[in-house]
Amino acid sequence: MQSADIDRDRVPGHVAVIMDGNGRWANQRGLPRNAGHEAGEAALFDTVEGALELGIDDLTVYAFSTENWKRPASEVKFLLGFNESLLVRRADELHDRGVRVRFIGRRGRPVPKRLVNLIESTEALTADDERMTLRIAFNYGGRNELADAAKAAAVDLAEGRIKRIDTRAIEARLYDPQMPPVDLLVRTSGEQRLSNFLPWQAAYAELVFTETLWPDFDRRELARCVALYQARERRFGKAVDKVITIRG
Ligand code: IPE
Ligand code: IPE
Ligand code: MG
């Protein structure tokens, strides 16, 4: 699948990706799981390039979930350090490519202060970049995001800043209120679940599940997922009549 096969007028505005399968990729090669995480970096940056080529406005990737703290301490430690080094090594490159970087997730403990500082400096560096917004979900959990938004709305209601708690009030209190709804949600590695990723924003997303393990994903795979998306019919609850022609 080449990006030439894509209808440029119907590219999904917001693509979200659950980057899964690093551990299995490593296991298949007799390598430690962390080697799979390292190999995922090239996949991520090729996917970013692919998204830029396709003219996707928003790309959101799941890097570390609130549930991932349950992994062995050595893997958690590796992932924290790896994400930190990735920001140190790649922030300027993303800025040069015109990519605005934003983080979604809880930034307090147990996320190390050094990583939070780097997250905030990367957001500041790229704040005015306009070609694409890359959101990195880190220490992200959708149920926490909704609980945090509901709590903030309840406080604002009690203190008279809003008159009611409705969908707009919740939306305005999500981790990044500027984040548009997800059009296409991709999960790699053959797993078919959401694992607490973007329950609000992906409520009407088209879902594409691919067998490819994350380190093998690239811009061509992204284009293939976009082509599958373009073959779907989005209805948003509306009735759509089909004209059936009976020959005979
Ligand atoms: C995804 O790959 C990366 C993270 C969750 C951080 P996994 O590490 O979940 O890989 P598998 O699912 O074990 O193959
Ligand atoms: C989801 O993958 C989280 C990330 C990709 C960061 P997991 O591998 O952690 O999800 P489960 O445990 O299979 O649901
Ligand atoms: Mg996994």
Side-chain angles (χ1 to χ4, degrees), residues 19-24 33 71 187 189 191 193:
M19 309 184 287
D20 198 13
N22 296 352
R24 278 163 282 167
R33 295 178 56 82
R71 294 190 178 201
R187 184 171 189 148
S189 85
E191 306 299 342
R193 57 177 167 269

Side-chain angles (χ1 to χ4, degrees), residues 92-219:
D92 286 335
E93 179 186 332
L94 288 166
H95 181 42
D96 289 344
R97 307 294 290 130
V99 177
R100 184 168 75 123
V101 182
R102 311 265 305 156
F103 280 80
I104 53 170
R106 280 190 181 166
R107 297 179 186 207
R109 273 163 36 93
V111 182
K113 189 78 189 110
R114 228 176 42 195
L115 181 54
V116 173
N117 290 343
L118 262 170
I119 284 173
E120 287 171 357
S121 65
T122 306
E123 286 180 329
L125 173 74
T126 61
D128 296 326
D129 295 332
E130 287 183 341
R131 232 178 125 197
M132 183 174 81
T133 299
L134 171 67
R135 288 184 183 79
I136 303 178
F138 192 90
N139 191 25
Y140 176 87
R143 284 187 286 223
N144 278 346
E145 179 178 36
L146 293 182
D148 289 350
K151 200 156 68 181
V155 170
D156 287 344
L157 182 72
E159 295 176 2
R161 282 185 291 276
I162 53 174
K163 290 204 170 62
R164 64 190 68 80
I165 296 181
D166 53 12
T167 51
R168 263 190 31 210
I170 298 293
E171 210 143 59
R173 288 160 183 79
L174 298 175
Y175 293 138
D176 184 350
Q178 290 173 11
M179 182 168 169
V182 176
D183 297 301
L184 166 62
L185 189 145
V186 175
R187 184 171 189 148
T188 59
S189 85
E191 306 299 342
Q192 302 194 2
R193 57 177 167 269
L194 297 177
S195 302
N196 205 12
F197 190 43
L198 306 178
W200 181 282
Q201 300 88 339
Y204 244 109
E206 293 297 328
L207 309 180
V208 169
F209 300 103
T210 155
E211 294 295 321
T212 307
L213 302 174
W214 177 250
D216 293 327
F217 199 85
D218 59 10
R219 69 185 82 188

Side-chain angles (χ1 to χ4, degrees), residues 68-87:
N68 288 148
W69 297 105
K70 294 178 202 157
R71 294 190 178 201
S74 59
E75 185 171 348
V76 169
K77 188 162 176 257
F78 177 87
L79 284 167
L80 294 172
F82 179 63
N83 278 281
E84 200 178 301
S85 91
L86 199 139
L87 287 181

